[in-house]
Amino acid sequence: MERFAWKGKLRNWLPQYRENLTLAVPVMLSQVGQVVVQLADNAMVGRLGALPLAGVSFGGAVFVIFMFWGMGVSLGLTPLVGEAYAKRDLRGAAALFQNSLVLYAATGIVLLALLLGLEALMDRMGQAPEVVAQARPYFRYLSWSIVPFMMYCAFKQFLEGVGNTSAAMVVMLTSNAINIGFNYLLIYGKCGFPEMGAAGAGLATLISRICMPLMMLAYFLRDVSFRRYLRFFTWAAQGWRRIRQLLSVGLPISVQMVLEVSAFALSSIMMGWIGAVELAAHQIVVTFGNFAFMAMAGISSATTILVSHRFGRGDLDDLTRAATASCHLALMTNFLTMCCFIGLRHWIPLLFTSDTAVAAVAAQLFIMAGLYQFSDGLQVVLLGVLRGMQDVKIVMRYAFVSYIVINLPVGYLCAFTLGMGAPGLWVGFIFGLGVAALLILILSTVTTTFLDAYSAGISAESLSKKINGKYAALIVAVIGTICAICFPMDDITNFLYLIGSVFAPMIAIQITDFFLLKRGGASGKLDVCNAVVWVLGFVLYRVLMTVDIPVGNTLPDMAGTMLLCLIAHKIVPDKVKAA
C-alpha cells in the first residue's frame, strides 16, 4: 500500500517534470553548444601537442570572464520579457527587446575594447612565453567575436522569455557545425586554406559567431508570430527607463557569474604556475565541467522561464511546484554526471590528448570535479528561481564570499602551501561551490531571521527589567529560525514582514534609550512609555507597508519610532513610565 502511494506521488510530479524538460532540453543543448566551441577547439588543437593546447587553454580562460560578463547582463532580459508575456503585454515585451539590442551591442563594443587592451598584458600573468605566443592570436580572434555573440544573446534571451527555446538550439548547433568545419580547414590547412594552428581555431570561432545573429534575424523575419514584435519597435520605446530596467536585473546576475567564472579562470592561471602539463590537464577537466554546468544552466534557464511566467500571473503555488521539480531534475542529472566523471576519468582525457602525463593528471582532477556536482547543480537551479522572480541582488554578496573569500584562498593553500599541487586547486572549488549552495538555499531566509530575532530579543530589555536580553534573544531566535525553515515559499515574505514590524520598533527604542536618552534600559518591571511607543511603531510599520518607499519600510519605521520615543519620554512624567 505504501509503495502504491509512493508511485502515486511520483505520478503527480511527472507532468511537471515533462513541462520543465520540454523547455529545458533545448536550452540545455543550446547552452552545451556554447561549451562545444571550446571543446572542439581543445580537442582539435590538442592533436598539435601540449603547448598549443596550453595556449588555447590560457587564452580561453581569460576570454571567458568577459564572455560570461556579457552573458550575465543578457540574462536579465528573460525574466522581464517572461513577466510581460504572461501579462499579455506584447508591446512592453517588444520595447524590452528593442532596448536590449542597443544595450547588448554597446556592451559588446565595451568588452571588445577591454579585451584588446588586455591582450598586451598577457605576458605579465605568470605564464611561460611560449604559451603566451600560442595564446595571443587565438585570443585576438575570440575578442572580435564578442560583439556578434552579444547580438545573438539578445535574440536568444527574448525568445526564451516568450517560451521558445528551440530556435536558439538550432542556431547554436548549426554554428557549432560551422565552427568545427572551419577548425578542420584552418587549424590543419586543408582544402587550400592556410595552416594556422591555434590561431585557426580562433578565426573559426569568429566566423561561426558572426553567423549566429544573422540566422536569428532570418528566423524572426520568416516567422509571422515573431515578426510582429519587430513591428512594435518605435523611437518612443527607446529610452533610459527600459535600459535601467534591464541593467537592474542583468548586472547583479552578471557580477555573480563573473565572480564564479573568475574563480575558475584565476585557478587556471595559478595552474599555469605549476606547469604546462597541469594546465593542459586542468583545461580538459574544466571543459567537461563547463559541459555539465551548461546542462544545469539549461535547467536553470527553463526554471527562470517557468517562474517568470507564474510570477507574472501571481500563481505562487504553481511557482513553488515548478521550482521544486527543477531541483529534483538537477540532483538526478548531477548524480549521473558524478558517476560519469569518476567512472570514466581514465578514458575521457584520451579524447583530447595522447600525452600520458596530461591524461594521468586529468584523471586525478576528474575525481575532484565529480565531488562538487551536487552543490553546483543545486545552486545553479536555485539561482534560476531567484532570477525568475527578479530577486538577484543578494546573490552578488553570496558569490563574493563563496568564490573570492573561500574558493581561491582554500585552493591556493592546498595547492602551494600544503603541497597538494593540481588537485589542491580543485579542493577550493569543492569548498566554494558548497558554500554557494548553502548560502543560497539556507542563509537567504534562516540567517536573516536569526539575526533579526536575536537583535529583537536583546532589545526587549527596553520594555521590562524582568527580561533577560540574552535568554530572550536565544528563545526568539530559535523560534524565528524554525519558522523560517518551515514556512513555504509563498508565505515566507509575509512572515518576514511580520517579524520586521515586531522587531524594528524594539531595536529603535533600545537605540534611543541607550544612545540618545542615556537611560540604560527599562525603568521598572514594565516600561509603560516604551511599551506604548512599541505598539505605535508596530502600527507605523504596517502602515508603511502600504506605501512604495525606495529605501524600504524598516529605516523609516525606526526613524519614526525613535522620534516617538524621544517625544514620549519628554512629555510623560517619570512616575507614569514605570509600572
PDB file of all heavy atoms in Angstrom, residues 30-50:
ATOM      1  N   SER A  30      21.388  24.149 -26.260  1.00  0.00           N
ATOM      2  CA  SER A  30      21.893  25.455 -26.663  1.00  0.00           C
ATOM      3  C   SER A  30      23.050  25.898 -25.777  1.00  0.00           C
ATOM      4  O   SER A  30      24.077  26.391 -26.266  1.00  0.00           O
ATOM      5  CB  SER A  30      20.764  26.486 -26.609  1.00  0.00           C
ATOM      6  OG  SER A  30      21.224  27.769 -26.940  1.00  0.00           O
ATOM      7  N   GLN A  31      22.905  25.715 -24.460  1.00  0.00           N
ATOM      8  CA  GLN A  31      23.965  26.095 -23.529  1.00  0.00           C
ATOM      9  C   GLN A  31      25.191  25.206 -23.709  1.00  0.00           C
ATOM     10  O   GLN A  31      26.325  25.687 -23.690  1.00  0.00           O
ATOM     11  CB  GLN A  31      23.454  25.988 -22.088  1.00  0.00           C
ATOM     12  CG  GLN A  31      22.296  26.907 -21.742  1.00  0.00           C
ATOM     13  CD  GLN A  31      22.744  28.319 -21.422  1.00  0.00           C
ATOM     14  OE1 GLN A  31      23.840  28.718 -21.771  1.00  0.00           O
ATOM     15  NE2 GLN A  31      21.895  29.074 -20.784  1.00  0.00           N
ATOM     16  N   VAL A  32      24.944  23.917 -23.862  1.00  0.00           N
ATOM     17  CA  VAL A  32      26.062  22.997 -24.077  1.00  0.00           C
ATOM     18  C   VAL A  32      26.787  23.348 -25.369  1.00  0.00           C
ATOM     19  O   VAL A  32      28.009  23.215 -25.478  1.00  0.00           O
ATOM     20  CB  VAL A  32      25.556  21.539 -24.101  1.00  0.00           C
ATOM     21  CG1 VAL A  32      26.633  20.601 -24.620  1.00  0.00           C
ATOM     22  CG2 VAL A  32      25.119  21.114 -22.703  1.00  0.00           C
ATOM     23  N   GLY A  33      26.018  23.828 -26.366  1.00  0.00           N
ATOM     24  CA  GLY A  33      26.635  24.226 -27.630  1.00  0.00           C
ATOM     25  C   GLY A  33      27.673  25.307 -27.455  1.00  0.00           C
ATOM     26  O   GLY A  33      28.659  25.356 -28.211  1.00  0.00           O
ATOM     27  N   GLN A  34      27.486  26.191 -26.460  1.00  0.00           N
ATOM     28  CA  GLN A  34      28.486  27.226 -26.204  1.00  0.00           C
ATOM     29  C   GLN A  34      29.793  26.608 -25.707  1.00  0.00           C
ATOM     30  O   GLN A  34      30.885  27.098 -26.013  1.00  0.00           O
ATOM     31  CB  GLN A  34      27.936  28.226 -25.187  1.00  0.00           C
ATOM     32  CG  GLN A  34      26.716  28.973 -25.692  1.00  0.00           C
ATOM     33  CD  GLN A  34      26.147  29.913 -24.653  1.00  0.00           C
ATOM     34  OE1 GLN A  34      26.857  30.385 -23.781  1.00  0.00           O
ATOM     35  NE2 GLN A  34      24.851  30.184 -24.735  1.00  0.00           N
ATOM     36  N   VAL A  35      29.675  25.535 -24.929  1.00  0.00           N
ATOM     37  CA  VAL A  35      30.869  24.852 -24.444  1.00  0.00           C
ATOM     38  C   VAL A  35      31.506  24.024 -25.547  1.00  0.00           C
ATOM     39  O   VAL A  35      32.727  23.853 -25.576  1.00  0.00           O
ATOM     40  CB  VAL A  35      30.511  23.959 -23.239  1.00  0.00           C
ATOM     41  CG1 VAL A  35      31.732  23.234 -22.720  1.00  0.00           C
ATOM     42  CG2 VAL A  35      29.897  24.792 -22.137  1.00  0.00           C
ATOM     43  N   VAL A  36      30.687  23.508 -26.468  1.00  0.00           N
ATOM     44  CA  VAL A  36      31.217  22.680 -27.560  1.00  0.00           C
ATOM     45  C   VAL A  36      32.223  23.461 -28.393  1.00  0.00           C
ATOM     46  O   VAL A  36      33.181  22.891 -28.931  1.00  0.00           O
ATOM     47  CB  VAL A  36      30.052  22.157 -28.435  1.00  0.00           C
ATOM     48  CG1 VAL A  36      30.570  21.536 -29.723  1.00  0.00           C
ATOM     49  CG2 VAL A  36      29.248  21.128 -27.657  1.00  0.00           C
ATOM     50  N   VAL A  37      32.035  24.786 -28.495  1.00  0.00           N
ATOM     51  CA  VAL A  37      33.005  25.610 -29.222  1.00  0.00           C
ATOM     52  C   VAL A  37      34.384  25.441 -28.601  1.00  0.00           C
ATOM     53  O   VAL A  37      35.373  25.171 -29.304  1.00  0.00           O
ATOM     54  CB  VAL A  37      32.573  27.091 -29.204  1.00  0.00           C
ATOM     55  CG1 VAL A  37      33.648  27.974 -29.820  1.00  0.00           C
ATOM     56  CG2 VAL A  37      31.252  27.272 -29.934  1.00  0.00           C
ATOM     57  N   GLN A  38      34.485  25.633 -27.267  1.00  0.00           N
ATOM     58  CA  GLN A  38      35.765  25.459 -26.588  1.00  0.00           C
ATOM     59  C   GLN A  38      36.200  23.999 -26.618  1.00  0.00           C
ATOM     60  O   GLN A  38      37.388  23.699 -26.741  1.00  0.00           O
ATOM     61  CB  GLN A  38      35.651  25.943 -25.143  1.00  0.00           C
ATOM     62  CG  GLN A  38      36.968  26.009 -24.380  1.00  0.00           C
ATOM     63  CD  GLN A  38      37.862  27.132 -24.844  1.00  0.00           C
ATOM     64  OE1 GLN A  38      37.387  28.194 -25.214  1.00  0.00           O
ATOM     65  NE2 GLN A  38      39.168  26.894 -24.842  1.00  0.00           N
ATOM     66  N   LEU A  39      35.232  23.094 -26.500  1.00  0.00           N
ATOM     67  CA  LEU A  39      35.538  21.668 -26.525  1.00  0.00           C
ATOM     68  C   LEU A  39      36.180  21.273 -27.858  1.00  0.00           C
ATOM     69  O   LEU A  39      37.197  20.573 -27.900  1.00  0.00           O
ATOM     70  CB  LEU A  39      34.249  20.869 -26.309  1.00  0.00           C
ATOM     71  CG  LEU A  39      34.364  19.366 -26.064  1.00  0.00           C
ATOM     72  CD1 LEU A  39      34.989  19.084 -24.725  1.00  0.00           C
ATOM     73  CD2 LEU A  39      32.993  18.711 -26.164  1.00  0.00           C
ATOM     74  N   ALA A  40      35.589  21.742 -28.970  1.00  0.00           N
ATOM     75  CA  ALA A  40      36.127  21.439 -30.297  1.00  0.00           C
ATOM     76  C   ALA A  40      37.501  22.058 -30.476  1.00  0.00           C
ATOM     77  O   ALA A  40      38.421  21.424 -31.033  1.00  0.00           O
ATOM     78  CB  ALA A  40      35.164  21.954 -31.371  1.00  0.00           C
ATOM     79  N   ASP A  41      37.667  23.300 -30.012  1.00  0.00           N
ATOM     80  CA  ASP A  41      38.976  23.947 -30.112  1.00  0.00           C
ATOM     81  C   ASP A  41      40.039  23.152 -29.366  1.00  0.00           C
ATOM     82  O   ASP A  41      41.133  22.894 -29.885  1.00  0.00           O
ATOM     83  CB  ASP A  41      38.912  25.371 -29.550  1.00  0.00           C
ATOM     84  CG  ASP A  41      38.110  26.311 -30.438  1.00  0.00           C
ATOM     85  OD1 ASP A  41      37.752  25.899 -31.558  1.00  0.00           O
ATOM     86  OD2 ASP A  41      37.838  27.448 -30.016  1.00  0.00           O
ATOM     87  N   ASN A  42      39.705  22.732 -28.129  1.00  0.00           N
ATOM     88  CA  ASN A  42      40.679  21.984 -27.326  1.00  0.00           C
ATOM     89  C   ASN A  42      40.999  20.629 -27.946  1.00  0.00           C
ATOM     90  O   ASN A  42      42.162  20.214 -27.991  1.00  0.00           O
ATOM     91  CB  ASN A  42      40.145  21.786 -25.916  1.00  0.00           C
ATOM     92  CG  ASN A  42      40.104  23.073 -25.130  1.00  0.00           C
ATOM     93  OD1 ASN A  42      40.775  24.034 -25.461  1.00  0.00           O
ATOM     94  ND2 ASN A  42      39.290  23.109 -24.087  1.00  0.00           N
ATOM     95  N   ALA A  43      39.957  19.917 -28.396  1.00  0.00           N
ATOM     96  CA  ALA A  43      40.162  18.576 -28.948  1.00  0.00           C
ATOM     97  C   ALA A  43      41.002  18.627 -30.214  1.00  0.00           C
ATOM     98  O   ALA A  43      41.916  17.802 -30.404  1.00  0.00           O
ATOM     99  CB  ALA A  43      38.813  17.922 -29.231  1.00  0.00           C
ATOM    100  N   MET A  44      40.720  19.606 -31.097  1.00  0.00           N
ATOM    101  CA  MET A  44      41.420  19.652 -32.385  1.00  0.00           C
ATOM    102  C   MET A  44      42.804  20.277 -32.264  1.00  0.00           C
ATOM    103  O   MET A  44      43.743  19.857 -32.932  1.00  0.00           O
ATOM    104  CB  MET A  44      40.557  20.402 -33.405  1.00  0.00           C
ATOM    105  CG  MET A  44      39.188  19.732 -33.616  1.00  0.00           C
ATOM    106  SD  MET A  44      38.098  20.549 -34.779  1.00  0.00           S
ATOM    107  CE  MET A  44      38.772  19.940 -36.334  1.00  0.00           C
ATOM    108  N   VAL A  45      42.945  21.287 -31.389  1.00  0.00           N
ATOM    109  CA  VAL A  45      44.268  21.879 -31.161  1.00  0.00           C
ATOM    110  C   VAL A  45      45.131  20.931 -30.343  1.00  0.00           C
ATOM    111  O   VAL A  45      46.351  20.878 -30.523  1.00  0.00           O
ATOM    112  CB  VAL A  45      44.132  23.240 -30.463  1.00  0.00           C
ATOM    113  CG1 VAL A  45      45.495  23.775 -30.028  1.00  0.00           C
ATOM    114  CG2 VAL A  45      43.464  24.250 -31.387  1.00  0.00           C
ATOM    115  N   GLY A  46      44.514  20.144 -29.438  1.00  0.00           N
ATOM    116  CA  GLY A  46      45.277  19.227 -28.611  1.00  0.00           C
ATOM    117  C   GLY A  46      46.063  18.216 -29.412  1.00  0.00           C
ATOM    118  O   GLY A  46      47.088  17.701 -28.937  1.00  0.00           O
ATOM    119  N   ARG A  47      45.626  17.931 -30.653  1.00  0.00           N
ATOM    120  CA  ARG A  47      46.361  16.991 -31.508  1.00  0.00           C
ATOM    121  C   ARG A  47      47.703  17.560 -31.961  1.00  0.00           C
ATOM    122  O   ARG A  47      48.570  16.823 -32.431  1.00  0.00           O
ATOM    123  CB  ARG A  47      45.514  16.632 -32.729  1.00  0.00           C
ATOM    124  CG  ARG A  47      44.213  15.902 -32.385  1.00  0.00           C
ATOM    125  CD  ARG A  47      44.479  14.605 -31.670  1.00  0.00           C
ATOM    126  NE  ARG A  47      43.261  13.976 -31.179  1.00  0.00           N
ATOM    127  CZ  ARG A  47      43.244  12.874 -30.440  1.00  0.00           C
ATOM    128  NH1 ARG A  47      44.375  12.290 -30.092  1.00  0.00           N
ATOM    129  NH2 ARG A  47      42.100  12.365 -30.013  1.00  0.00           N
ATOM    130  N   LEU A  48      47.862  18.878 -31.815  1.00  0.00           N
ATOM    131  CA  LEU A  48      49.134  19.505 -32.208  1.00  0.00           C
ATOM    132  C   LEU A  48      50.178  19.421 -31.100  1.00  0.00           C
ATOM    133  O   LEU A  48      51.358  19.700 -31.339  1.00  0.00           O
ATOM    134  CB  LEU A  48      48.900  20.975 -32.576  1.00  0.00           C
ATOM    135  CG  LEU A  48      47.905  21.246 -33.711  1.00  0.00           C
ATOM    136  CD1 LEU A  48      47.744  22.746 -33.919  1.00  0.00           C
ATOM    137  CD2 LEU A  48      48.340  20.565 -34.996  1.00  0.00           C
ATOM    138  N   GLY A  49      49.753  19.087 -29.855  1.00  0.00           N
ATOM    139  CA  GLY A  49      50.692  18.973 -28.752  1.00  0.00           C
ATOM    140  C   GLY A  49      50.207  19.703 -27.517  1.00  0.00           C
ATOM    141  O   GLY A  49      49.218  20.445 -27.545  1.00  0.00           O
ATOM    142  N   ALA A  50      50.953  19.503 -26.408  1.00  0.00           N
ATOM    143  CA  ALA A  50      50.565  20.109 -25.125  1.00  0.00           C
ATOM    144  C   ALA A  50      50.718  21.624 -25.145  1.00  0.00           C
ATOM    145  O   ALA A  50      49.928  22.339 -24.524  1.00  0.00           O
ATOM    146  CB  ALA A  50      51.410  19.514 -23.994  1.00  0.00           C
TER     147      ALA A  50
END
